[in-house]
């Protein structure tokens, strides 16, 4: 008699923006994570599924909710807040940043690597990095460049292109003294994607620092029940920043890059919508607080009906004014 292998259940992830009391959201047993943005968001909660990100929001920002199938387990261990269900895990780590971005990132990423290796969700699909003063410092002493060196040191080996997660790195507009790292990991690896309009970040030339950034432009999870995960996307074509003198042209270039990533993903998953729509969720990071309303109004015209949260955050190149990440389904 031949035994049949038990099929691996499909991971599911639904990202929603919701206006509701935090405690009511946390009552949902299928809630994997919930994020608050802006000065009015609750500062902390005993439940490890809640995380406040200290980026001021344009207007009253909703909560970002990650929901999965199955009852979520959660807890704290080794300074990491975590939750998991259905082949997916959310985790977050906040560490003191004493000004040495390289050492801080190296220590945080070493902890992340050890955590992933010891658990049942060893494959990071999506990572967010938030740090103070991301473009402070000249030349190779710029904090983002030191962060890239530290991240590589903490990982302690060169990742193959097929291992790279989607990622975002944004600077807090006000100093926090903390480095915030959070992630979505899975039991199964995803499929990293690149944008044909851009040089792969991990192949950037030396002019951008001693260590090229280690991330993919987007990632398709193994399960078709999950959305396309979009990395932080800015007005970069090839490897060069574009339109440093025009905010509107930068936004147009960002949207062109998002469309290019979606087209690349649709070659592998044709069921994805052609353009951002009702199933898309975007976070928009704007360097200058004075531009928040302008960017929001332009997005109303360019992407009507697409849910978004507009945040005051510093892009990792000083000449870039806006960056967008999110999910698309």
């Amino acid at each position: 008699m031949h035994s049949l292998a038990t099929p691996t259940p499909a991971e599911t992830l639904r990202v929603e923006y919701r206006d509701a009391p935090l405690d009511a959201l946390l009552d949902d047993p299928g809630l994997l994570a919930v994020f608050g943005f802006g000065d009015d968001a609750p500062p902390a909660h005993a439940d490890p599924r809640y995380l406040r990100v200290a980026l001021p929001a344009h207007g009253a920002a909703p909560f970002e909710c990650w929901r999965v199938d199955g009852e979520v387990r959660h807890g704290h261990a080794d300074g990491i807040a975590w939750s998991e269900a259905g082949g997916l895990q959310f985790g977050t780590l906040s560490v003191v940043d004493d000004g040495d971005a390289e050492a801080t990132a190296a220590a945080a990423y070493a902890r992340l690597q050890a955590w992933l290796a010891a658990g049942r969700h060893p494959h990071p699909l999506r990572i967010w990095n938030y740090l103070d003063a991301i473009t402070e410092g000249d030349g190779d002493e710029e904090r983002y460049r030191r962060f890239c060196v530290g991240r590589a040191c903490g990982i302690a080996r060169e990742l193959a292109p097929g291992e790279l997660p989607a990622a975002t790195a944004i600077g807090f507009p006000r100093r926090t003294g903390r480095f915030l790292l959070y992630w979505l990991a899975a039991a199964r690896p995803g499929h990293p994607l690149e944008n044909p309009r851009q040089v792969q970040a991990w192949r950037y030339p030396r002019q951008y620092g001693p260590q090229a950034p280690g991330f993919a432009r987007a990632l398709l999870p193994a399960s078709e029940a999950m959305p396309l995960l979009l990395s932080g996307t800015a007005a970069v074509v090839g490897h060069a920043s574009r339109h440093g003198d025009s905010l509107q042209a930068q936004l147009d270039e960002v949207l062109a890059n998002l469309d290019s990533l979606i087209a690349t993903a649709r070659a592998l998953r044709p069921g994805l919508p052609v353009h951002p729509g009702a199933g898309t969720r975007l976070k928009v990071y704007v360097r200058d607080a004075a531009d928040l309303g302008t960017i929001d109004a332009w997005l109303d015209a360019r992407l009507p009906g697409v849910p978004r949260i507009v945040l005051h955050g510093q892009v990792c190149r000083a000449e870039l004014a806006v960056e967008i990440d999110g999910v698309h389904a």
Side-chain angles (χ1 to χ4, degrees):
M1 178 181 293
H2 297 286
S3 61
L4 296 176
T6 302
T8 301
E11 300 92 345
T12 62
L13 178 70
R14 294 174 293 280
V15 178
E16 303 169 350
Y17 291 162
R18 297 188 59 189
D19 288 306
L22 177 59
D23 285 339
L25 297 173
L26 291 168
D27 281 342
D28 180 356
L31 183 80
L32 186 69
V34 56
F35 304 88
F37 302 93
D39 296 334
D40 295 332
H45 198 285
D47 192 313
R49 294 175 296 169
Y50 174 67
L51 177 64
R52 179 178 180 267
V53 179
L55 295 177
H58 178 63
F63 289 106
E64 178 181 346
C65 301
W66 295 357
R67 298 180 61 244
V68 297
D69 288 340
E71 188 165 348
V72 174
R73 299 171 55 247
H74 53 80
H76 293 88
D78 301 324
I80 290 172
W82 62 271
S83 61
E84 61 185 31
L88 296 174
Q89 183 187 77
F90 160 69
T92 183
L93 175 63
S94 176
V95 299
V96 172
D97 178 357
D98 63 1
D100 187 336
E102 179 179 340
T104 299
Y109 268 85
R111 290 174 65 182
L112 172 59
Q113 288 300 105
W115 173 266
L116 294 171
R120 295 177 296 178
H121 305 84
H123 303 289
L125 305 181
R126 186 69 174 84
I127 296 177
W128 288 260
N129 308 272
Y130 295 103
L131 60 155
D132 289 344
I134 195 168
T135 55
E136 183 179 277
D138 297 326
D140 285 348
E141 295 308 307
E142 180 194 71
R143 280 176 53 81
Y144 178 64
R145 296 188 184 196
R146 302 325 304 170
F147 160 79
C148 289
V149 173
R151 172 170 53 185
C153 289
I155 294 171
R157 66 182 181 86
E158 185 174 353
L159 297 178
E163 297 179 280
L164 293 170
T168 295
I170 288 291
F172 291 120
R174 300 192 293 254
R175 289 188 180 272
T176 66
R178 310 291 297 184
F179 169 53
L180 176 62
L181 176 67
Y182 70 89
W183 61 90
L184 174 69
R188 297 191 290 169
H191 186 95
L193 300 176
E194 294 299 334
N195 183 350
R197 302 183 80 238
Q198 297 177 313
V199 172
Q200 298 97 323
W202 45 273
R203 295 183 64 188
Y204 274 2
R206 176 61 179 82
Q207 72 192 75
Y208 297 102
Q211 174 65 54
F215 69 95
R217 301 292 185 183
L219 186 137
L220 265 180
S223 168
E224 294 196 8
M226 290 185 63
L228 171 66
L229 307 176
L230 296 161
S231 295
T233 303
V236 173
V237 180
H239 56 74
S241 302
R242 296 292 180 91
H243 315 300
D245 58 348
S246 172
L247 181 64
Q248 188 164 20
Q250 281 200 32
L251 181 61
D252 290 343
E253 203 74 77
V254 172
L255 297 181
N257 280 328
L258 291 176
D259 279 342
S260 180
L261 283 166
I262 291 169
T264 300
R266 291 186 74 252
L268 298 175
R269 193 175 294 173
L272 285 169
V274 176
H275 299 294
T280 306
R281 301 290 183 271
L282 299 179
K283 289 201 293 293
V284 184
Y285 307 95
V286 181
R287 173 175 291 277
D288 189 336
D291 293 331
L292 288 165
T294 300
I295 291 288
D296 196 34
W298 285 343
L299 286 170
D300 263 340
R302 293 293 305 276
L303 298 177
V306 176
R308 64 184 179 271
I309 298 173
V310 179
L311 301 167
H312 182 200
Q314 297 177 342
V315 184
C316 67
R317 293 188 188 180
E319 69 274 14
L320 295 177
V322 59
E323 179 170 311
I324 296 178
D325 70 21
V327 299
H328 175 70

